[in-house]
Amino acid sequence: MDKADIVADTLLESKKIVVFTGAGISTESGISDFRSPGGIWSRFDPSEFTFQKFLASEESREKYWAFSSSSWPEMSAAKPNQGHNAIAELYHMGKLDCVVTQNIDGLHQKSGIPEERVIELHGTAWWVKCLECGQRYPREEIHKRVESGEKVPRCDACGGIMKPATISFGQSMPLEETGEAERRSAACDLFLVAGSSLVVYPAAQMPLIAKDNGAKLVIINLEPTPHDHYADVVIHEKTGEALPQVMVRVKEKSGERN
Ligand SMILES: [Zn+2]
């Protein structure tokens, strides 16, 4: 039995899986990892793009929108990869409780997982939200306005300041999503990490909540994580390579069992 076999058996035994994804799965779809060396934050200074600065001046907002708009075409055009597709297969098998993700790119939804099964801890780049009245606008619509010269778009409904519906540096985590993710983590029977290094809060604590409540823990991430010693199985590979291999075994084994 190799590790893919063991994970396949674990998936087959599980009925309520929470999959936790981070930047690792998105970079395999060509999306820049903001925090990695050579990533956007080595070329831009993150302290220029905090939520506090965004609120403080029109100049900062203009800079933010220019920066954010430059990465939107890449993000909106990105396609789910084999890692996303493997997770979508778990959904179709009726085993997925939900995906909890640190990613803002909407690729799980694009892979066919319904919106209500995806908990986005860092918000989403697909919507723009008015900070005054809460009105939401599709990103593409606002992107076109920025492209055609509106440097800092304002809300049609109230004239308020608008920002992509992502969680910026200095902005607090969304309470509702974080609480929901913690409840689901506590109630699952398998917590599967796919492409997260599990270092930032609240990502770091979710696997522990799951494990403390009796779930199995499987970690698939290219680099070691601080929770590897806590996991039942750890695979240090790309999720787009490891997960499809696991799903092949799952199909073989479920064929055997039928
Ligand atoms: Zn508004």
Side-chain angles (χ1 to χ4, degrees):
M1 293 258 284
D2 61 8
K3 285 182 177 179
D5 259 316
I6 299 169
V7 176
D9 283 339
T10 310
L11 289 175
L12 283 164
E13 285 158 12
S14 305
K15 294 188 175 71
K16 221 175 167 185
I17 303 172
V18 170
V19 178
F20 188 96
T21 65
I25 194 166
S26 290
T27 52
E28 292 173 43
S29 281
I31 290 172
S32 314
D33 175 6
F34 282 25
R35 289 180 176 83
S36 72
I40 287 173
W41 296 127
S42 59
R43 289 180 282 130
F44 289 87
D45 178 1
S47 69
E48 288 295 308
F49 297 96
T50 63
F51 190 54
Q52 288 67 25
K53 287 229 165 138
F54 186 87
L55 294 179
S57 78
E58 191 72 358
E59 189 195 344
S60 296
R61 289 191 282 277
E62 194 175 319
K63 243 192 229 180
Y64 180 98
W65 274 104
F67 161 68
S68 181
S69 300
S70 69
S71 64
W72 173 244
E74 174 190 275
M75 190 173 291
S76 62
K79 292 190 171 63
N81 61 58
Q82 290 197 56
H84 295 101
N85 294 338
I87 298 166
E89 282 182 62
L90 289 177
Y91 166 71
H92 291 297
M93 291 171 73
K95 289 185 172 289
L96 183 76
D97 181 56
C98 67
V99 176
V100 178
T101 188
Q102 297 171 287
N103 302 327
I104 58 171
D105 49 44
L107 286 175
H108 290 295
Q109 291 91 326
K110 271 192 195 171
S111 78
I113 298 177
E115 185 75 38
E116 67 273 15
R117 296 290 188 106
V118 183
I119 301 175
E120 295 168 310
L121 293 177
H122 295 175
T124 175
W126 284 85
W127 291 91
V128 170
K129 199 172 169 186
C130 172
L131 298 177
E132 305 291 328
C133 74
Q135 176 73 42
R136 300 211 309 169
Y137 301 85
R139 177 62 178 270
E140 201 54 47
E141 184 187 315
I142 303 300
H143 182 70
K144 283 188 188 129
R145 282 165 55 177
V146 174
E147 289 267 274
S148 58
E150 199 178 337
K151 288 178 176 169
V152 181
R154 290 269 176 171
C155 175
D156 288 337
C158 79
I161 297 169
M162 297 202 294
K163 191 180 131 335
T166 55
I167 307 297
S168 298
F169 288 106
Q171 199 170 3
S172 54
M173 296 296 296
L175 281 179
E176 198 181 312
E177 283 81 359
T178 307
E180 182 68 10
E182 287 174 354
R183 276 190 295 280
R184 303 280 192 118
S185 301
C188 70
D189 56 5
L190 170 62
F191 193 92
L192 171 64
V193 177
S196 171
S197 46
L198 302 174
V199 281
V200 295
Y201 173 87
Q205 73 183 35
M206 301 275 174
L208 306 184
I209 293 173
K211 191 78 182 161
D212 287 346
N213 284 279
K216 290 205 167 168
L217 174 61
V218 172
I219 297 177
I220 300 174
N221 193 52
L222 197 53
E223 306 292 333
T225 83
H227 296 325
D228 283 2
H229 65 283
Y230 220 56
D232 296 277
V233 188
V234 179
I235 299 180
H236 289 149
E237 285 176 33
K238 290 181 175 178
T239 54
E241 287 165 12
L243 271 178
Q245 282 172 21
V246 168
M247 293 312 291
V248 168
R249 309 288 174 90
V250 165
K251 280 173 213 155
E252 285 169 7
K253 286 167 187 280
S254 54
E256 279 166 25
R257 288 175 188 192
N258 287 339

